[in-house]
Amino acid sequence: MGRLDGKVALVTGAGGGLGRAHALLLASEGASVVVNDLGGARDGSGDGSSAMADQVVQEIVQAGGQAVADYGSVTSEDDAKAMVNAAFMHFGRLDIVINNAGILRDKSFKNMTNEMWDIVVEVHLRGTYLVTKAAWDRLIEQNQGGRIIMTSSTSGLIGNFGQTNYGAAKAGIAGFMRVLALEGVKYGITVNVLAPAAWSRLTEDIMQSGVEERLAPERVSPAVAWLCTDEAKDVTGRQFFVGGNRVVLLSWQTTEIADKDADDAPWTLDEIGAAMQESIGTWPRLLRPMDL
Ligand code: NAD
């Protein structure tokens, strides 16, 4: 018996890399899967093709699972609605949405163009919004809870050189998740963020060679699949770094710097400066990507 028997999942960008690994594992745990992928290039260019999604559907079916392909773009409202519809049309319901589709257009900010900024924010942030919105309305209508995973990145949660567009979109996704998680509580819909690390076509020229096995996408998917089980019904609003068999909860920290009665006069710059200087040595270290 699978941990996800009877559930139906939509995984965007599931034609390769992490999305493929998520789709295969969800299916092997009994979920029926809508495998979405427009089959474009790593930077989002090109006409796209049905081959990537078809291949993953074939793998799932050959292993005895259930899946259907969808070739839409997460950047289109109609396509987003259609991929959600596909779940209902083919499998009669929807329980799980994994927002995973993504592209890269890396450049230092000095050389960043509007086009590079817009397309990355469009695919990641707006794409996550459009698919989640299409699913949200149907999940509420279905009235049986649900699971939404949004794929962020340490580039957005911590920072990474040359990825201002990507980092902004990925941080936006995390903010989106934090609000939606609160709104989802009364419907039994959990919303969590995944910040993965995996060797894929997106990272093959960024990561050092030799890490293909240690950082295989298959080492990320178990945590994602567990978040989709009934057992994880109370886990929501969280950010998980997952990669190379490690799972790290990324949380926010607060440090009190200065506090006086709100009826008192506002801080002078000298006063607030003194409070900052006194406290600064106690602040948590600024996280860097290599800290994980
Ligand atoms: P990948 O390129 O293998 O997978 C992304 C998939 O999304 C591709 O198959 C692509 O065709 C698809 N896609 C792109 N634009 C689409 C669109 N508009 N509509 C539908 N599908 C579309 O890369 P990956 O490494 O597996 O990345 C998956 C997700 O994980 C991305 O959101 C990425 O930003 C995120 N991520 C990956 C890493 C990592 O280490 N690999 C780190 C942080 C975040």
Side-chain angles (χ1 to χ4, degrees):
M1 235 183 72
R3 303 281 296 269
L4 298 170
D5 281 345
K7 311 258 190 225
V8 177
L10 162 62
V11 185
T12 69
L18 285 157
R20 171 180 167 274
H22 301 336
L24 290 174
L25 184 59
L26 294 176
S28 76
E29 286 293 333
S32 302
V33 185
V34 178
V35 175
N36 158 264
D37 205 298
L38 56 52
R42 162 188 138 132
D43 66 355
S45 62
D47 287 339
S49 114
S50 55
M52 289 178 76
D54 284 344
Q55 166 70 31
V56 175
V57 168
Q58 203 184 335
E59 283 182 77
I60 290 174
V61 171
Q62 270 170 5
Q66 290 207 73
V68 67
D70 175 277
Y71 317 117
S73 173
V74 297
T75 59
S76 150
E77 184 180 359
D78 287 347
D79 287 4
K81 284 182 176 160
M83 54 188 95
V84 168
N85 262 335
F88 285 90
M89 228 166 61
H90 293 275
F91 306 120
R93 56 184 294 114
L94 178 66
D95 302 280
I96 298 162
V97 178
I98 316 278
N99 287 293
N100 166 81
I103 60 166
L104 280 183
R105 294 278 174 103
D106 292 359
K107 271 283 183 255
S108 67
F109 193 55
K110 180 171 160 291
N111 299 316
M112 178 73 56
T113 64
N114 291 346
E115 200 248 336
M116 296 166 94
W117 179 276
D118 289 345
I119 190 170
V120 167
V121 172
E122 173 94 0
V123 171
H124 289 278
L125 185 54
R126 187 167 163 78
T128 298
Y129 157 69
L130 286 174
V131 174
T132 302
K133 178 65 181 151
W136 192 254
D137 299 344
R138 304 291 296 268
L139 287 175
I140 290 175
E141 214 175 275
Q142 188 175 259
N143 198 23
Q144 290 178 35
R147 299 283 179 275
I148 297 178
I149 309 287
M150 303 190 179
T151 308
S152 181
S153 167
T154 53
S155 300
L157 303 177
I158 295 176
N160 199 23
F161 190 92
Q163 295 192 318
T164 49
N165 50 358
Y166 183 75
K170 291 303 201 185
I173 286 172
F176 175 25
M177 175 282 286
R178 279 194 290 278
V179 174
L180 198 62
L182 297 174
E183 296 188 15
V185 170
K186 70 174 171 192
Y187 304 115
I189 304 173
T190 68
V191 192
N192 290 286
V193 144
L194 167 72
W199 192 89
S200 73
R201 71 174 192 177
L202 219 53
T203 52
E204 62 190 349
D205 59 352
I206 304 170
M207 291 178 172
Q208 64 210 33
S209 61
V211 298
E212 291 89 335
E213 267 311 305
R214 289 171 51 79
L215 289 182
E218 288 72 21
R219 299 185 193 279
V220 175
S221 302
V224 172
W226 182 80
L227 286 170
C228 298
T229 63
D230 291 340
E231 207 184 327
K233 68 179 175 25
D234 297 322
V235 179
T236 193
R238 301 291 190 171
Q239 307 174 150
F240 300 93
F241 166 83
V242 188
N245 287 348
R246 284 181 71 221
V247 182
V248 179
L249 184 71
L250 298 174
S251 46
W252 296 91
Q253 291 173 286
T254 62
T255 301
E256 183 98 6
I257 296 173
D259 184 27
K260 67 175 179 177
D261 199 300
D263 290 331
D264 289 351
W267 296 103
T268 66
L269 259 67
D270 282 346
E271 285 171 338
I272 201 69
M276 291 277 188
Q277 293 293 358
E278 198 182 318
S279 148
I280 211 160
T282 70
W283 295 358
R285 203 161 45 89
L286 207 55
L287 275 177
R288 294 282 175 228
M290 53 282 239
D291 291 330
L292 276 177

